[in-house]
């Protein structure tokens, strides 16, 4: 079953879209603002996102840019009243797969949705290997947003995933705190609370370490930062 996220502040329009597409057997989640949409996207991957641009608390453009910055492939179709050529170009530059201006026919929307889903299926079955990173007992599948320790799947927040990916890619190297903050929080790093990194490290240890008080993998290098330790016998 295809899972579609609708981010639209016009609740009547969102209900109409669900009514038209439900006949095709899709499942839906609906959000009406940026804040709720970001919360949902932190925990779910979608086969398609129908995304308004002008939302009560921000812009759908920022949501799309955030997804692409995180290298997420969820297809995005903008549904918006912004109908100039410049607006449309901006939408595609933000990472949209399609751009539909309001008002639109629900029948036409359905066909554009079906076309986007077909493109997504072809992309998934193109034979390209998923970006899977393996080190020791750890496996990260960034395309499917899944993380395993041995055969056990461990649920991680978006920030925890990003931090763990940086640590694993730099295994056995000491990474300074400032470097980790920059790589995980990017341009927002200067506004991140000093304790944010420590809190995220603690959460990762609680999920990964046998004894978080005596970490085997995520080691503290006092006065400098952290090191993700993988012994030679564990490397693959």
């Amino acid at each position: 079953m295809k899972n579609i996220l609708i981010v639209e502040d016009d609740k009547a329009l969102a209900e109409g879209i669900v009514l038209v597409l439900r006949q095709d057997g899709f499942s839906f989640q609906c959000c009406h603002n940026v804040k709720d949409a970001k919360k949902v996207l932190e925990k779910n991957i979608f086969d398609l996102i129908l995304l308004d641009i002008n939302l009560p608390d921000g812009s759908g453009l920022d949501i799309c840019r955030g997804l692409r910055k995180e290298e997420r492939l969820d297809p995005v179709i903008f549904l918006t009243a912004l109908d100039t050529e410049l607006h449309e170009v901006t939408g595609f530059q933000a990472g949209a797969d399609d751009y539909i201006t309001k008002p639109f026919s629900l029948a036409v929307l359905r066909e554009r949705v079906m076309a986007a889903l077909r493109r997504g299926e072809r992309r998934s079955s193109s034979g390209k290997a998923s970006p899977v990173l393996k080190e020791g007992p750890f496996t990260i599948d960034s395309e499917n947003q899944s993380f395993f320790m041995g055969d056990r799947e461990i649920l991680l927040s978006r920030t925890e995933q990003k931090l763990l990916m940086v640590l694993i890619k730099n295994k056995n190297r000491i990474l300074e705190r400032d470097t980790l903050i920059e790589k995980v929080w990017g341009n927002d790093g200067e506004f991140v609370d000093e304790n944010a990194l420590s809190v995220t490290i603690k959460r990762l240890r609680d999920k990964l370490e046998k004894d978080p008080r005596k970490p085997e993998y995520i080691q503290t290098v006092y006065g400098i930062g952290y090191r993700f330790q993988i012994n030679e016998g564990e490397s693959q």
Side-chain angles (χ1 to χ4, degrees):
M1 179 181 293
K2 300 295 185 182
N3 193 17
I4 297 176
L5 173 64
I6 301 174
V7 186
E8 170 61 65
D9 63 331
D10 184 335
K11 295 182 181 180
L13 176 57
E15 290 171 1
I17 293 172
V18 170
L19 186 64
V20 168
L21 297 180
R22 181 167 283 159
Q23 61 185 314
D24 295 296
F26 303 138
S27 64
F28 300 90
Q29 286 186 256
C30 293
C31 298
H32 307 298
N33 56 58
V34 171
K35 180 180 178 182
D36 290 345
K38 287 184 175 180
K39 286 182 179 179
V40 169
L41 286 165
E42 283 182 357
K43 300 178 180 178
N44 301 276
I45 296 174
F46 293 90
D47 296 290
L48 182 66
I49 301 171
L50 300 177
L51 181 58
D52 192 6
I53 290 180
N54 288 332
L55 294 163
D57 57 343
S59 172
L61 291 169
D62 293 333
I63 294 176
C64 190
R65 290 185 183 116
L67 291 172
R68 300 312 182 228
K69 184 178 180 180
E70 294 173 0
E71 299 183 355
R72 285 186 53 168
L73 301 177
D74 319 49
V76 173
I77 297 179
F78 279 124
L79 308 177
T80 176
L82 302 176
D83 59 359
T84 68
E85 180 178 296
L86 178 59
H87 287 131
E88 188 169 347
V89 169
T90 301
F92 282 112
Q93 289 177 338
D97 295 83
D98 203 349
Y99 191 101
I100 303 176
T101 57
K102 301 174 182 177
F104 51 81
S105 159
L106 289 174
V108 170
L109 171 65
R110 178 179 178 273
E111 294 306 314
R112 302 277 280 270
V113 165
M114 301 302 285
L117 290 172
R118 286 194 296 271
R119 289 195 298 271
E121 288 174 353
R122 286 198 296 270
R123 185 162 55 197
S124 298
S125 60
S126 62
K128 295 180 180 179
S130 295
V132 176
L133 177 65
K134 294 185 178 182
E135 286 292 348
F138 303 102
T139 302
I140 296 180
D141 185 339
S142 58
E143 181 173 310
N144 295 308
Q145 303 295 307
S146 59
F147 172 78
F148 291 85
M149 187 171 181
D151 295 327
R152 179 169 62 96
E153 183 171 11
I154 298 176
L155 298 179
L156 301 175
S157 70
R158 179 72 52 215
T159 302
E160 290 165 356
Q161 286 185 31
K162 291 172 72 175
L163 176 56
L164 184 59
M165 182 71 81
V166 173
L167 289 169
I168 288 182
K169 283 185 175 180
N170 293 275
K171 66 173 184 176
N172 302 337
R173 291 177 53 194
I174 298 173
L175 294 175
E176 296 181 355
R177 290 179 61 88
D178 289 346
T179 299
L180 287 170
I181 290 173
E182 179 183 351
K183 288 182 176 295
V184 175
W185 283 275
N187 293 332
D188 296 327
E190 60 183 299
F191 305 110
V192 172
D193 184 271
E194 177 69 19
N195 292 323
L197 177 60
S198 299
V199 170
T200 309
I201 288 285
K202 181 182 184 304
R203 289 175 177 166
L204 276 178
R205 283 174 172 164
D206 288 343
K207 295 179 179 182
L208 306 183
E209 303 283 0
K210 292 180 180 178
D211 183 353
R213 295 169 299 180
K214 299 178 181 178
E216 176 184 356
Y217 298 108
I218 306 175
Q219 300 179 355
T220 299
V221 181
Y222 291 99
I224 302 177
Y226 299 94
R227 173 176 54 215
F228 193 83
Q229 187 68 36
I230 294 286
N231 297 324
E232 285 301 316
E234 293 181 296
S235 298
Q236 296 182 359

